[in-house]
């Protein structure tokens, strides 16, 4: 069995693919932007870039995937450096 990668890192970058349904996508985007541990970049079509800083990204990744209006969540970057 392999060891899971560390997700508690200073910085994680994700790309959220939103639903093609305009209302579902808008609701999901609003909820994501309101989350206190998430920063977002401007939305590009159905893609919403997300930045997570200084918290464990795995629970947020799972939360994002479970939101109505989210098709998928891709990890763009996760630092695997050991915190100092």
């Amino acid at each position: 069995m392999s060891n899971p990668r560390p997700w508690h890192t200073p910085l994680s970058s994700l790309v959220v693919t939103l639903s093609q349904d305009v209302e579902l996508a808008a609701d999901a985007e609003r909820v994501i932007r309101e989350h206190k541990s998430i920063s977002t970049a401007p939305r590009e079509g159905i893609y919403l870039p997300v930045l997570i800083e200084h918290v464990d990204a795995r629970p947020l990744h799972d939360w994002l995937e479970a939101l109505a209006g989210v098709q998928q969540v891709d990890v763009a970057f996760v630092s695997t450096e050991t915190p100092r």
Side-chain angles (χ1 to χ4, degrees):
M1 180 196 297
S2 65
N3 291 329
R5 289 185 176 175
W7 280 59
H8 188 77
T9 61
L11 177 69
S12 297
S13 179
L14 311 173
V15 178
V16 176
T17 303
L18 299 168
S19 173
Q20 295 284 349
D21 181 296
V22 175
E23 289 182 26
L24 279 176
D27 288 344
E29 181 179 2
R30 179 186 49 77
V31 170
I32 293 166
R33 289 186 186 278
E34 290 174 351
H35 196 287
K36 64 180 179 140
S37 297
I38 294 175
S39 299
T40 59
R43 181 173 158 181
E44 295 287 333
I46 62 170
Y47 303 106
L48 181 65
V50 169
L51 180 66
I52 300 170
E53 294 184 82
H54 303 292
V55 297
D56 187 349
R58 187 171 300 271
L60 285 177
H61 183 280
D62 294 342
W63 175 77
L64 288 164
E65 282 189 321
L67 284 176
V70 171
Q71 289 184 22
Q72 71 181 43
V73 180
D74 294 304
V75 177
F77 175 80
V78 168
S79 171
T80 56
E81 293 180 18
T82 306
R84 295 179 193 200

